[in-house]
Amino acid sequence: MSLLHEMTDREKVARYPHHEFRLKQASSYNRASKTPDDPKGWFDNFDRNTNDTHKNYVRVEDNQGRKEYVVMEDEGAGAITRFWVPWKNQLQPGTDVVIRFYLDGASKPAIEGNMFDLFQGKGLIPFPLAHESLRSAVSFFPIPYARSCKVTMSDHPFFFQFTYREYEEDVAVKTFSMDDFQSAKRLIDTTCQKLLSPSTSGSGDVVNLKETLAGGNEQSVLLPAQEAAITSLSLKLGSYEAPNVTRHVVLKIRFDNKETVWCPIGDFFGGGIGLNPFQGWYRTVDADGTMTCRWVMPYQNNAKISVVNLGKDPVDVELSATIDDWKWDSSSMYFHAGWRGQYPVPTRPYSDWNYVTLHGRGVYVGDTLTIMNPVERWWGEGDEKIFIDGESFPSIFGTGTEDYYAYSWGGRSTDFYEHPFHAQPFSHQYNQLNRKPKIDEKNTQGFSTETRTRALDTMPFSSSLKLDMEVWSWTDCDMGYGVGVYWYGDADTKSNHAPDQEEVLNVPPVPTTKSTPRNATTSSTGHAFPNSVEVNVKNVLSKPEHIALKPQNLKRMKLKGTWSQDDQVLFKNTRIGDAVEIRIPASGSAAETLTLHATKSGDYGIVNFSVNGQPAAANVDFYSGEKPTSHGPIALGTFDPVDGVYVLRAEVTGQNKDSLGTLFGLDCVTQVPATGGF
């Protein structure tokens, strides 16, 4: 049962494994996905089995007249470290599937029973080593084997994931047995108690930082110049009233004169945008705003922690770090935390969005994904694809983004949940402070934050690691992605993503839903974007006489895309050189950041925009080779209103060589105070 000790040993994670292993996964991913050179197969999304025509498993065996579906098979020494299966019916828990674990070639299973009864934390494996996640059963209880492992199910295996270690040949492993399981009851109970009470010992030296950071400023604190390790790091802001503050405030850490941590605090501590409390084994976000991480972060000679305020408003910061002894050796590694953001991210054509690509030696230990979904329909069908040490095909190929984060049926599963190794701190409009009522609601519009950390399922790599997540939404739209990633690595281990201050400030605007109005009016045509001013005929101040204005309801035209109130104004009969001016009322007297929303189509032109006589967006090409759809947000910039108004000028400057015309269609302009906000 040494793996149970390892599960709660944070120091061990900071050292490269003494007994090397490759983390692999057996899952129900679609076997048509073979190579990125075949996009149709690579993004085929049928990742399940419901009848005999579906073959997303190993094989079917006859065992004395009993049909068994083999879902995982491994030869050699190894250990299952994570097991996930969903409800088959998203509204009805339970299953009659019997799961069997055959170890070392035995004809009799070492573990056998109802799949959910065994692994929902209420049966053989106690909580939190196993638990009922949102519409799923998940287990982190290790099942080691010395020579082989075969797992079967008694019926068509719906969706499944078995994550397991594959050890080197010279590693001796003691195979799981029920006798050893019964003998380890005390250790199992102790492990569960530790996971649910994740505090550190509290020993060591403490350094503090308490400052008010003006916009654009940075403050730092030096750590003891000696061989040591950070064992606990806490940070608290004076106010979280502006949710974007957790994106705009960035944590930086240098170890031995190299910066290895650069990450917005919301992504570093796992809460995403805004204050979203949860508790995990490595990180906790408290309701009072205190954010704590318990990663062990060793260094040899010196270290410095810095906090940067990339926003415009001053921020009160309190930081505390505990420093303890550490004996550095050849297995010791530096802690890294990086961040990547992108907005907009188009959902068509389907694509793989890279979390991170690493080169060198290290161990990947977790990530936090925050997405902005502009529509109600489910956004997360995309599978994770993880390539280790230059693999041509990923040794970990998943079955959906929510499955990677250990829950299922994402369209309905928008409630808050937490566990020592994964959580959904925020989804749609719900978090720990605002729980989802018991209603049958399918709406994933807005922000969602998913986080996962790793203990026995860490991913060691000796030369490289690449983690991609498919962008696979049910809607053709533009999403926003932001991910914090955590790994340990040598001093020369490198990431492909550098710090990106510009993207940190590019927080996606959230369209309004029926149930979550955000200071926006609605009409019978649809739901307005937050803080939006609709472009309409009455607001057009000037135009050439030959231009005709045509209001259009795009929803009734059955076009794919996202528009505020589902409509736009089409500017017809336009010619190159034509210009129109549109009145956009300001929401106040202070400067605002303006974003234009528009349409692209096969007969649209190239348009240049200015606001109050100042350049805004240059030569925007509104041509689309497919059917008309929403263009995606167009950043105009930050402007001061003149007499309570912005004058938006649109001038037709050209025509795409493939376009059939020079028309254009405008939807609305959203306004955000220059200090930031949703």
Side-chain angles (χ1 to χ4, degrees):
M1 289 295 172
S2 63
L3 288 173
L4 288 176
H5 288 290
E6 182 181 339
M7 181 181 285
T8 57
D9 187 347
R10 296 190 186 97
E11 291 190 6
K12 196 174 185 69
V13 181
R15 300 183 189 273
Y16 197 80
H18 175 65
H19 298 300
E20 284 202 45
F21 63 87
R22 170 69 56 83
L23 194 77
K24 292 190 172 183
Q25 183 167 279
S27 78
S28 57
Y29 80 91
N30 194 311
R31 270 49 177 181
S33 300
K34 296 178 180 179
T35 171
D37 296 333
D38 172 23
K40 183 177 179 181
W42 192 244
F43 297 108
D44 199 320
N45 192 44
F46 199 93
D47 298 329
R48 60 190 182 274
N49 305 278
T50 56
N51 60 52
D52 288 341
T53 66
H54 306 150
K55 306 295 183 182
N56 297 329
Y57 49 85
V58 180
R59 65 179 178 275
V60 182
E61 293 183 344
D62 183 87
N63 190 339
Q64 298 179 345
R66 180 180 67 211
K67 183 180 288 188
E68 295 187 33
Y69 295 80
V70 180
V71 292
M72 175 199 159
E73 189 169 46
D74 185 40
E75 295 293 329
I80 295 175
T81 58
R82 179 183 181 267
F83 162 52
W84 166 90
V85 287
W87 295 3
K88 192 169 184 178
N89 184 317
Q90 58 183 303
L91 297 177
Q92 297 177 8
T95 185
D96 57 1
V97 172
V98 174
I99 191 168
R100 298 177 174 92
F101 295 79
Y102 298 91
L103 307 180
D104 294 350
S107 59
K108 182 179 179 180
I111 303 175
E112 177 181 11
N114 181 284
M115 186 165 60
F116 285 1
D117 291 348
L118 288 174
F119 296 107
Q120 285 190 308
K122 304 170 185 176
L124 178 69
I125 311 299
F127 180 81
L129 293 174
H131 80 115
E132 181 181 352
S133 183
L134 294 178
R135 294 178 166 81
S136 295
V138 190
S139 175
F140 292 90
F141 185 81
I143 304 175
Y145 46 91
R147 298 192 304 277
S148 68
C149 175
K150 181 175 70 175
V151 183
T152 72
M153 294 182 184
S154 62
D155 201 353
H156 298 97
F158 187 38
F159 287 83
F160 62 86
Q161 292 183 0
F162 293 87
T163 307
Y164 60 98
R165 293 181 172 188
E166 191 174 80
Y167 286 106
E168 297 289 331
E169 291 183 2
D170 60 346
V171 178
V173 175
K174 191 174 190 299
T175 300
F176 171 90
S177 72
M178 288 305 299
D179 288 341
D180 288 342
F181 178 81
Q182 297 298 334
S183 300
K185 281 289 189 182
R186 180 173 295 181
L187 174 59
I188 292 171
D189 291 343
T190 300
T191 302
C192 291
Q193 291 168 13
K194 285 183 179 179
L195 291 174
L196 295 173
S197 303
S199 60
T200 56
S201 64
S203 62
D205 299 327
V206 177
V207 297
N208 296 290
L209 173 69
K210 187 174 182 180
E211 294 284 348
T212 297
L213 292 182
N217 280 16
E218 175 178 335
Q219 289 289 339
S220 305
V221 60
L222 296 176
L223 306 190
Q226 62 188 55
E227 201 170 74
I230 301 172
T231 57
S232 177
L233 174 64
S234 293
L235 186 149
K236 183 179 181 181
L237 303 183
S239 172
Y240 297 88
E241 184 176 354
N244 290 352
V245 71
T246 60
R247 171 68 63 85
H248 293 166
V249 175
V250 171
L251 181 70
K252 296 167 51 176
I253 307 180
R254 296 183 69 87
F255 295 114
D256 296 332
N257 302 314
K258 179 186 178 183
E259 184 176 279
T260 68
V261 172
W262 194 99
C263 190
I265 60 172
D267 304 272
F268 182 86
F269 292 100
I273 293 178
L275 177 59
N276 299 302
F278 77 99
Q279 178 172 288
W281 173 241
Y282 290 104
R283 297 153 309 151
T284 297
V285 177
D286 290 320
D288 71 353
T290 302
M291 298 176 284
T292 302
C293 86
R294 292 171 287 272
W295 300 108
V296 174
M297 309 180 200
Y299 60 95
Q300 298 183 70
N301 301 305
N302 60 77
K304 180 174 75 170
I305 303 174
S306 303
V307 183
V308 188
N309 178 15
L310 296 179
K312 294 187 177 181
D313 290 338
V315 176
D316 294 329
V317 176
E318 292 184 48
L319 181 145
S320 177
T322 302
I323 317 301
D324 212 340
D325 295 334
W326 179 269
K327 183 173 178 55
W328 190 277
D329 60 22
S330 60
S331 69
S332 297
M333 298 178 293
Y334 295 102
F335 180 79
H336 296 69
W339 183 83
R340 183 194 178 199
Q342 183 183 348
Y343 176 72
V345 177
T347 62
R348 298 293 186 274
Y350 303 117
S351 62
D352 289 323
W353 195 79
N354 179 243
Y355 275 28
V356 71
T357 299
L358 305 172
H359 292 282
R361 186 186 75 155
V363 177
Y364 189 87
V365 294
D367 43 69
T368 296
L369 172 67
T370 295
I371 67 95
M372 190 287 294
N373 177 31
V375 297
E376 294 186 5
R377 296 190 72 191
W378 176 231
W379 55 268
E381 293 290 350
D383 307 335
E384 78 274 14
K385 300 166 182 175
I386 305 175
F387 303 78
I388 307 295
D389 294 342
E391 293 172 327
S392 59
F393 189 84
S395 52
I396 296 179
F397 200 132
T399 57
T401 310
E402 81 272 40
D403 312 345
Y404 177 81
Y405 291 104
Y407 68 103
S408 61
W409 296 108
R412 275 192 167 90
S413 297
T414 53
D415 196 7
F416 163 84
Y417 82 93
E418 63 182 0
H419 177 270
F421 298 127
H422 51 88
Q424 181 170 255
F426 185 86
S427 182
H428 179 43
Q429 58 178 320
Y430 307 117
N431 65 4
Q432 187 188 75
L433 306 176
N434 176 37
R435 295 300 298 271
K436 183 177 182 178
K438 295 186 180 300
I439 56 175
D440 184 20
E441 176 189 54
K442 290 182 69 175
N443 188 343
T444 60
Q445 190 174 43
F447 281 104
S448 291
T449 295
E450 324 291 342
T451 188
R452 175 178 177 180
T453 56
R454 297 167 177 265
L456 297 183
D457 58 338
T458 58
M459 295 190 289
F461 54 96
S462 59
S463 61
S464 67
L465 178 145
K466 178 184 178 185
L467 196 166
D468 291 342
M469 187 69 74
E470 285 180 351
V471 178
W472 210 115
S473 166
W474 284 107
T475 305
D476 183 353
C477 60
D478 288 323
M479 293 175 58
Y481 272 68
V483 69
V485 291
Y486 328 118
W487 73 95
Y488 286 91
D490 295 334
D492 57 354
T493 300
K494 292 181 173 59
S495 164
N496 63 326
H497 297 309
D500 189 344
Q501 295 187 21
E502 182 177 347
E503 200 62 46
V504 162
L505 298 174
N506 183 26
V507 181
V510 183
T512 302
T513 70
K514 302 174 187 175
S515 53
T516 56
R518 293 179 184 265
N519 302 321
T521 59
T522 62
S523 75
S524 60
T525 59
H527 308 292
F529 290 178
N531 308 311
S532 63
V533 174
E534 304 299 316
V535 173
N536 57 53
V537 173
K538 294 180 180 179
N539 282 357
V540 176
L541 297 174
S542 66
K543 68 175 183 66
E545 289 186 0
H546 60 266
I547 293 181
L549 306 179
K550 183 178 180 181
Q552 291 181 313
N553 186 304
L554 304 173
K555 185 175 183 180
R556 292 174 186 164
M557 296 169 66
K558 298 182 179 180
L559 298 181
K560 292 184 178 180
T562 304
W563 293 271
S564 181
Q565 296 193 11
D566 296 328
D567 58 18
Q568 71 161 5
V569 173
L570 176 64
F571 294 78
K572 298 180 65 177
N573 306 325
T574 49
R575 308 165 187 166
I576 294 176
D578 286 346
V580 300
E581 292 186 329
I582 304 162
R583 179 180 181 274
I584 306 295
S587 60
S589 59
E592 295 177 296
T593 299
L594 307 183
T595 302
L596 175 67
H597 298 264
T599 305
K600 55 186 179 181
S601 187
D603 55 356
Y604 282 18
I606 298 172
V607 181
N608 193 72
F609 294 96
S610 63
V611 175
N612 291 346
Q614 302 177 48
N619 298 321
V620 180
D621 190 345
F622 287 115
Y623 168 73
S624 172
E626 300 177 358
K627 292 182 179 180
T629 186
S630 49
H631 178 277
I634 301 165
L636 297 176
T638 301
F639 304 92
D640 291 303
V642 177
D643 297 328
V645 170
Y646 304 102
V647 175
L648 174 67
R649 187 175 191 271
E651 179 183 356
V652 181
T653 58
Q655 180 177 350
N656 187 294
K657 65 180 180 62
D658 295 319
S659 179
L660 299 177
T662 56
L663 287 66
F664 61 94
L666 303 183
D667 172 15
C668 71
V669 174
T670 57
Q671 306 165 334
V672 176
T675 53
F678 282 109

